[in-house]
Structures are given as structure tokens and as C-alpha cells.
Amino acid sequence: MSAGPEPPAQWHRVLTLLADISLLIGTRSVWAQAAGHRLPVAAVISVCYASILVCGVLALVVRRERSLARVDLWVLVTAVTLALCALALFHRGSDESDLTAQAARELVAGHTVYGQPWPWLFGHPGIAVTPTVSGGYDFTYGYPPLAPLLTAPLLWLGRGGTPAAVVASGALIVGTVTLWRLLPGPWRSAATMVCLGFGMLPVYGRLGYPAVLALALLVPVVVRWPRIGRGGRLGPAGTAQAACLGAACAAQQLPWFLAPFLLAGIYAVRRGELGARAAALVVLRIVGVAVTAWLLINTYFIVSEPAAWFTGIALPLTQGAVLHGQGLVDVSLYFTNGSDRLDWYAHASLLLAAGLLALFVLFVRRLGSAATVLPWCAFYLATRSQDGYFLMMTPLWLAAAVTAPPSEFAGAWQPRPRLLSGPHRRPARVAAAVLLLAPALFASALAVTGTPPLRMRVASVRRASASAVSGLTLRVTNTDDSALTPHFTLTTGQGMDPYWSVVRGPAALPAHTTATYELRPPGGKYGLPRRPGVRIRLRAFTPSPQTLSSTYIRLLPG
């Protein structure tokens, strides 16, 4: 009697089940919205609920690997359906999608895209603005041009950010299917779970983030990336991967930080296989193809508006946006009263990126598998350390974990100075790692230990009513050794409220002097919080040098 087919591995069943369960997260809120005014969408979501239940049963009872693979496929189909249902309900987008769609409209009209402020895009609820330390807001498009180019043919879909939201959501679905197809069979449900489950990435797609487009383009690059150029030849697959890398860099700036790690890793693996000269030629071919793809996408803008284009794509690095995020900046933003060394957060981030890249090159056999995670560690120290920078790239973590295991780097070349290969190599390697990371740690320490340069005290309060304030008078002392130009705001939680206008007071406060400032809230009045326990924090940012001074103030209703 012949033995039957081997049953699926239990871990495969569990992974399929987890992917199926992840689709339940956030689905109820989408259904609740649809049940109120989009009944056909609600009906589709109800069918998806049934699909989730059936897939949960089948994942645990099917007897053959092929049958479980079909369940994996059906879980993916259910996830895509739910993502499309959510997009049908929530497609108005965000500031990111509005800017991208407006850039596409300007492109179609033959106008310049970069350096043009569009403040009217930000006049309705739910659209965030990016305040800067200079007291203003950034209303311009600050990303590479691929997203507007892809959005332009879809402008007929509607006003606002809807076309950009459709592009980003479509890119996420295509990227998910691509990752699902490229992963080994038993791991495919992990792609469904990470990309479309948990309710995380589909939200960014519906908000129209260009980074989602970059993620989709990076998926085929990262899958089995240590094999690019194997044998000294790129081949069609390697050429396509290099082109996708260039296109991703033309979609958003985050791939700029990943590319050096991938190129360094490919060089190390190929040098271990082929030698230094052949490895360098492989990397040069990859760079050549990537740069060609990048230039093809950017050529029109380089020719038509070179200065504005260059300033625009570098904007996230130069705009001087205020502190925001979940990283180390929270020390100065929430846990202390500020710092007179905010610039050192940016320095620390760059130093950490450089240190991690050097560490990656020295210990590529150990760190090679982490190439898709290491670049984002630097953002934890940046002035804009939003978790989206890490969250949106998590599918790449999965792709590398499955297809670029440590065994791929076992023969990779590692530079070995005599000090790191001698009899005391372990302590020397630890010391080398500490030395490479020490500059970033030192810069971080300087940033968090800075002191607020401005001492602020409320001298008087003008009330518009019992529950609203129409103005404040402050006594501000500059304890710094240089003149400072303060810009004031009041906040009651995380993030930034709009700046208050300075009605009276010096634009620049000289060093070691005290002055009186009269402030007026945006809109003419500031509503006081009614919930007990809410604290109001007065903040003052200065652009040069970048500093933050904060203090709690008491403004009680009545």
C-alpha cells in the first residue's frame, strides 16, 4: 500500500491561520461605515467575514500541502477584496495625497511642480500641515516625481487626493501579490499578513503616501537580493531588480537610505565569489541601470526646472520641520523643557547611518540578513522620527528574512585589518563596533542634554469669553549667547498646534535680554480645554540655531 502525500507542516498551518486572523483587524469599523451609506460594500465585507471563517477551518483540517496552498491563495484574495472595500469608502486621502494629486494637475497643465506653495490644499479638516522652526509651514511638493507621473492619467477619478490614494493603494496590492508570488510556498501567507493584514499598510495606501509606491518597487529588489549578479552576470532578472531600485529612488527618499546597504552587501557577496574586480563591475552595472531608470523618470524635471527640482527632492532633509515622532526627540519634546542643541539630533542620525553602514561592511557575514532593517535605525535619532518610516518598510524585513538568510553571506568578503584578525580579535571587534557607533551616541547625548534657551512667563491673559482666550502677554528672557527669533505655539498633547501671531515684540531677541511679547491665537481666539487634567504647554521654536523652549502654563476656564 503506497503512502499518501505528506501533510502540511504545522507551522505552515499556523502561519496561514495567523494571516487569516489578521484580516479581522479594523474590518469592523470599515463595515460599520459601509452599513450606514454603502450597502453593496457592506454586503461584500460580510461575505469576506464568511471567507475568513471558512479559511480558518480549512487551514486546520486540509490534508495536503497543495490544498493548504489554495487556502493561502484564498486568504490573499480575501485580503485584497477587503483592501478595495476600504478604499471605496475612504479615498479622500491626506496631505500627502493632496500634494501628489496637485503636483499631477500642475504637470498636466504644463506648470512647474516644485517650489510652488499650494496653501489652499490644507484648509479642510483631516489634512495635516508641516510646521517649520522658522514659524511657517511647508505647502510645497517635496518628493521625487514618479508618484505624480503615475497619478496624472487618473485625475479623472475625482478631485482632492483620490487619484493619488488609488495609485498608492494599487501599488500596495501589486506589491503584495508580487511578494506573495516570489516567496516560497509555505511562507506566502506571511506576505498577506504583513502587507494587508493588521490594518497598517492599507491605511497608508489610502492616505496616498508615495513611500507605499517605493515599497512596492523595492519588493522585487529585496527578494533574494544577495543573488543579484551571481556568476558575474546580471541577466534579465538582475537588470529588472536594478531598474526597480532606481524607480523606487525616484518615488520617495526612503530608498536612498536602503540602497547603500544593498550595494555594499552585493559587493561583499560577489567579491567572496568572484574577486574584487569582478564584484566591482557587477556593482557598477547595477548602479548604471538604477541611475538610468532614475534619470529617465526625472529627466523632464531636470530640464524644465532644475534648481526647483533639486531643492524639492531634497526638501525633507532641508526644510527644518519641527520635532515630531516617536524617537529620541521625545526627550526634548515631552520629557524636558526643550534643548538649545536640536541640530545635534540630525547630526546623530547621519552619524548613526554612517556608523551602521561601516559596521555592516565590517561584519557583513553576521549582519547581512539585517540589511533591510539597519537603515531605519538611524531615523530613531532624527528630528522627524515618525514610526511610519519603519512601519511602511516592514514587508522588506519579511522578504529578506525568508529569502536572504545568513547562509547567503557565509562566503562574503569582509575587510579584516590586522587588529581585527589577531589573537585578541573578539575584544577588538567589540571595540571597533563601539568606536563606530560612539559619534552617534555622543551627538545624541549633546542633543538630549541641551537646555531651553528661553525662559517664558505669562504676564497677562486677554479673554474672548469664559472658555476662550484672545491673547497672551509674555515676558521672555534669552539666556543664550546669540540672538534668537522665537515663534510661539500652545499645545495640549502630542504634535503641533498652529503658531500664534506676534502682535508686539522684537523679531530677534538679543542675547541675555528680556522682552515683552503680545501674542494672538490663530483665528482670533483659543478655546480652553474643558477636560480635567489637560495641561497646556507653551512652546517656542527658533530657526538659527534650532532650539526649543517649553513651559507649562495655567489657563483655566471662567
Side-chain angles (χ1 to χ4, degrees):
M1 184 176 178
S2 60
E6 286 289 327
Q10 188 64 19
W11 67 266
H12 185 184
R13 293 184 187 274
V14 172
L15 190 59
T16 302
L17 188 64
L18 289 174
D20 192 48
I21 292 171
S22 74
L23 303 186
L24 294 170
I25 300 174
T27 302
R28 182 179 179 183
S29 62
V30 179
W31 174 88
Q33 290 284 335
H37 59 282
R38 297 288 291 275
L39 285 179
V41 177
V44 173
I45 296 173
S46 294
V47 173
C48 288
Y49 271 118
S51 175
I52 291 171
L53 292 171
V54 172
C55 288
V57 173
L58 294 177
L60 297 176
V61 302
V62 295
R63 295 184 178 183
R64 296 187 302 169
E65 186 72 30
R66 181 178 296 179
S67 299
L68 188 55
R70 290 178 181 144
V71 177
D72 288 334
L73 177 59
W74 195 247
V75 172
L76 174 65
V77 171
T78 305
V80 171
T81 304
L82 287 172
L84 292 174
C85 287
L87 179 62
L89 290 171
F90 310 110
H91 52 258
R92 295 185 64 182
S94 65
D95 55 318
E96 302 270 347
S97 61
D98 279 16
L99 282 169
T100 301
Q102 184 63 32
R105 293 186 183 97
E106 298 293 336
L107 178 64
V108 170
H111 301 156
T112 56
V113 169
Y114 292 100
Q116 302 301 315
W118 303 313
W120 63 87
L121 297 177
F122 301 86
H124 45 94
I127 304 300
V129 296
T130 301
T132 65
V133 292
S134 60
Y137 306 90
D138 197 336
F139 300 120
T140 63
Y141 189 72
Y143 298 110
L146 182 57
L149 287 171
L150 295 179
T151 301
L154 300 178
L155 291 176
W156 57 271
L157 288 173
R159 300 177 62 83
T162 299
V166 170
V167 168
S169 297
L172 177 61
I173 291 172
V174 171
T176 302
V177 174
T178 302
L179 181 58
W180 191 93
R181 185 66 184 84
L182 292 177
L183 289 182
W187 290 103
R188 286 175 172 172
S189 278
T192 305
M193 179 167 48
V194 172
C195 293
L196 297 179
F198 301 138
M200 298 189 305
L201 288 179
V203 172
Y204 284 98
R206 296 195 298 271
L207 294 176
Y209 274 62
V212 176
L213 175 59
L215 164 69
L217 289 165
L218 286 173
V219 164
V221 178
V222 168
V223 174
R224 299 180 183 87
W225 68 268
R227 301 184 185 182
I228 299 176
R230 177 175 284 184
R233 297 180 300 275
L234 282 185
T239 302
Q241 287 176 292
C244 285
L245 178 60
C249 291
Q252 213 261 359
Q253 290 88 348
L254 287 178
W256 300 359
F257 297 89
L258 175 63
F261 286 84
L262 296 181
L263 294 175
I266 292 170
Y267 175 80
V269 174
R270 296 285 77 83
R271 179 165 176 173
E273 175 196 9
L274 306 169
R277 185 174 182 276
L281 289 175
V282 167
V283 172
L284 285 175
R285 292 190 194 105
I286 295 171
V287 172
V289 173
V291 169
T292 299
W294 185 83
L295 283 174
L296 287 174
I297 295 169
N298 283 275
T299 296
Y300 170 78
F301 303 92
I302 296 174
V303 173
S304 62
E305 43 180 315
W309 163 82
F310 181 79
T311 303
I313 65 172
L315 191 63
L317 306 177
T318 61
Q319 67 187 166
V322 300
L323 306 184
H324 179 64
Q326 293 74 42
L328 192 66
V329 294
D330 287 355
V331 174
S332 297
L333 200 53
Y334 301 113
F335 297 102
T336 68
N337 287 328
S339 173
D340 56 351
R341 295 193 285 256
L342 297 186
D343 289 316
W344 284 95
Y345 283 113
H347 301 335
S349 179
L350 292 175
L351 288 170
L352 182 58
L356 289 173
L357 181 59
L359 206 62
F360 179 79
V361 171
L362 279 179
F363 305 105
V364 67
R365 294 178 186 173
R366 176 66 63 87
L367 298 177
S369 296
T372 56
V373 182
L374 284 172
W376 321 122
C377 296
F379 286 95
Y380 189 78
L381 305 184
T383 54
R384 304 285 286 184
S385 55
Q386 301 173 82
D387 60 357
Y389 295 147
F390 332 127
L391 187 157
M392 282 188 280
M393 296 296 151
T394 48
L396 305 182
W397 305 8
L398 170 68
V402 176
T403 65
S407 58
E408 293 281 353
F409 304 92
W413 170 80
Q414 295 183 141
R416 277 295 171 262
R418 183 178 303 177
L419 185 63
L420 298 182
S421 57
H424 303 292
R425 58 182 179 274
R426 185 177 182 82
R429 292 175 183 177
V430 172
V434 172
L435 286 174
L436 288 173
L437 300 180
L441 296 176
F442 177 73
S444 300
L446 284 177
V448 300
T449 57
T451 57
L454 300 178
R455 291 203 303 265
M456 299 176 291
R457 179 176 60 85
V458 176
S460 64
V461 179
R462 294 183 299 281
R463 291 185 177 274
S465 66
S467 60
V469 169
S470 62
L472 293 177
T473 301
L474 305 180
R475 291 288 290 171
V476 182
T477 301
N478 179 7
T479 64
D480 201 68
D481 293 330
S482 58
L484 298 175
T485 305
H487 304 281
F488 303 94
T489 182
L490 267 62
T491 62
T492 56
Q494 68 86 29
M496 266 279 295
D497 289 345
Y499 283 113
W500 289 43
S501 302
V502 176
V503 178
R504 186 171 65 88
L509 183 60
H512 304 292
T513 60
T514 300
T516 299
Y517 285 86
E518 289 187 11
L519 307 181
R520 178 181 299 159
K525 63 180 181 179
Y526 176 79
L528 300 177
R530 294 183 176 274
R531 289 181 292 119
V534 176
R535 305 175 72 186
I536 299 175
R537 197 161 194 170
L538 171 65
R539 288 182 173 142
F541 287 94
T542 68
S544 182
Q546 291 193 27
T547 72
L548 168 63
S549 304
S550 304
T551 185
Y552 283 109
I553 62 175
R554 292 175 61 85
L555 296 175
L556 300 179

